[in-house]
């Protein structure tokens, strides 16, 4: 089999993204158009605006991706597209665009679970990576520890009971009036701050589930009670509580289950403290996506789509957008 060429589309939230991937790993083009500047004036993503911007940008980005890849539309073997989880209106734009391309070019359509995409970003950044491994999946909407037993076999070991890690970063940043998205802003501030305040580490020694809403609230009350406290010190202290909890539970699961590989996935994988702290765990092989593959992108969707392509795992044209798609629904 010649290396298939897959065009992928990601529109689950506020990034309009298209990638063209050849075979497992050869990225021919990879375009991400972030709508952050449009949404940040509202303090978060406005679903209706996100969907309208996807309509506006998707056609041109796709043309640009094909041009940059130096291929023609007829060279493409399949269309991969995010089917969920995400904002329903935003997802539908990508899905319908993908269906039109697939129908017009008479090539298979592959619906991809966005969460599988985040995990698969690691196969792009570390082509030698092979399951089994333990995955910490941390994004704006999800926080999970997964026992990844095989390429398409993800067992959820623990997950958040309330806020996702990225969501906690975003909400704390909003409370501190720092802007959106909060993760990169807090990450930057924390670099010049001191971890001098002790915020709670909820459920730290209790199983593998997470809970970040109490931590978020305690930052809010602390700020109210201590108006003189420096924002950068609050940021550094909050980040310390959250990141050390993520690492503690992931490492504990890997140790108890004798797993040697730990894989980090999702937007929060871009966090510099998380990345640095993991260096201390020399007994594990730690895999982190390159920065460009941490937050939403279409390359990860193409790589996950490739895995389904080689299994002839194609979608029908009644493929629907599923806003709360579970990880087991691959
Ligand atoms: O994976 P992603 O792009 O979108 C979802 O699928 O949710 O993740 C976005 C999340 C946001 O909450 C953002 O604040 C967070 O990832 N994030 C970070 C950093 N960069 C992005 N969180 C902490 N530190 C960062 N450097
Ligand atoms: Zn994502």
């Amino acid at each position: 089999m010649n290396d298939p060429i897959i065009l992928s589309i990601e529109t689950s939230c506020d990034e309009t993204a298209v990638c063209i991937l050849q075979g497992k790993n050869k990225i021919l083009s990879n375009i991400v158009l972030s709508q952050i500047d449009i949404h940040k004036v509202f303090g978060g993503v406005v679903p209706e605006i996100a969907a309208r911007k996807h309509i506006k940008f998707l056609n041109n980005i796709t043309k640009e991706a094909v041009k940059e890849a130096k291929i023609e539309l007829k060279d493409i073997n399949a269309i991969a597209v995010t089917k969920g989880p995400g904002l329903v209106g935003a997802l539908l734009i990508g899905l319908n665009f993908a269906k039109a391309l697939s129908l017009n070019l008479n090539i298979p359509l592959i619906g991809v679970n966005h969460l599988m995409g985040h995990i698969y970003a690691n196969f792009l950044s570390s082509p030698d990576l092979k399951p089994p491994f333990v995955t910490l999946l941390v994004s704006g909407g999800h926080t999970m520890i997964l026992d990844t037993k095989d390429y398409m076999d993800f067992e959820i070991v623990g997950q958040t009971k309330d806020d996702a890690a990225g969501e906690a970063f975003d909400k704390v940043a909003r409370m501190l009036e720092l802007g959106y998205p909060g993760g990169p802003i807090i990450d930057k501030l924390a670099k010049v701050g001191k971890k001098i305040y002790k915020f709670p580490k909820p459920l730290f020694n209790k199983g593998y589930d997470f809970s970040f809403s109490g931590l978020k609230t305690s930052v809010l009350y602390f700020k109210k009670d201590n108006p003189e406290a420096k924002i950068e010190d609050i940021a550094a202290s909050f980040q310390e509580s959250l990141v050390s909890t993520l690492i503690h539970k992931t490492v504990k699961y890997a140790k108890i289950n004798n797993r040697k590989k730990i894989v980090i996935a999702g937007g929060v994988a871009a966090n510099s403290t998380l990345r640095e702290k993991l260096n201390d765990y020399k007994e594990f092989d730690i895999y982190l996506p390159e920065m460009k593959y941490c937050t939403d992108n279409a390359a990860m969707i193409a790589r996950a789509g490739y895995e389904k392509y080689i299994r002839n795992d194609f979608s029908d044209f009644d493929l629907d957008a599923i806003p709360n798609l579970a990880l087991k629904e691959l």
Side-chain angles (χ1 to χ4, degrees), residues 42-58:
F42 303 102
V45 179
V46 183
E48 161 110 18
I49 296 177
R52 285 175 187 273
K53 296 298 171 192
H54 289 317
I55 296 177
K56 189 167 173 199
F57 299 137
L58 198 46

Side-chain angles (χ1 to χ4, degrees), residues 15 114 118 138-141 166-167 169-170 181-184 187 239 266-268 270-272 294-296:
E15 266 89 25
H114 182 84
H118 273 303
V138 268
S139 70
E167 189 181 356
F169 270 103
D170 294 339
D187 191 354
Q239 184 175 269
V268 182
N271 185 266
S272 53
C294 288
T295 46
D296 292 347

Side-chain angles (χ1 to χ4, degrees), residues 176 196-197 221-234:
L176 300 177
I196 46 177
Y197 304 120
Y221 286 124
F222 179 85
K223 176 77 180 78
K224 276 192 180 146
D225 296 343
N226 301 275
E228 79 295 347
K230 285 192 188 155
I231 293 291
E232 54 268 33
D233 294 341
I234 300 179

Side-chain angles (χ1 to χ4, degrees), residues 50-91:
R52 285 175 187 273
K53 296 298 171 192
H54 289 317
I55 296 177
K56 189 167 173 199
F57 299 137
L58 198 46
N59 197 22
N60 282 342
I61 292 182
T62 305
K63 280 187 189 157
E64 192 55 39
V66 171
K67 196 172 144 200
E68 235 184 87
K70 299 193 172 61
I71 59 161
E72 291 177 40
L73 281 174
K74 66 171 175 45
D75 301 324
I76 298 168
N77 299 99
I79 307 291
V81 61
T82 304
K83 59 180 175 177
L87 303 169
V88 69
L91 287 165

Side-chain angles (χ1 to χ4, degrees), residues 201-207 209 241 244-246 248-249 252:
K201 296 181 180 179
L203 305 181
F204 194 79
N205 281 316
K206 283 199 192 123
D209 282 339
S241 284
S244 59
T245 307
L246 291 176
H248 172 75
K249 288 182 186 250
K252 186 172 159 195

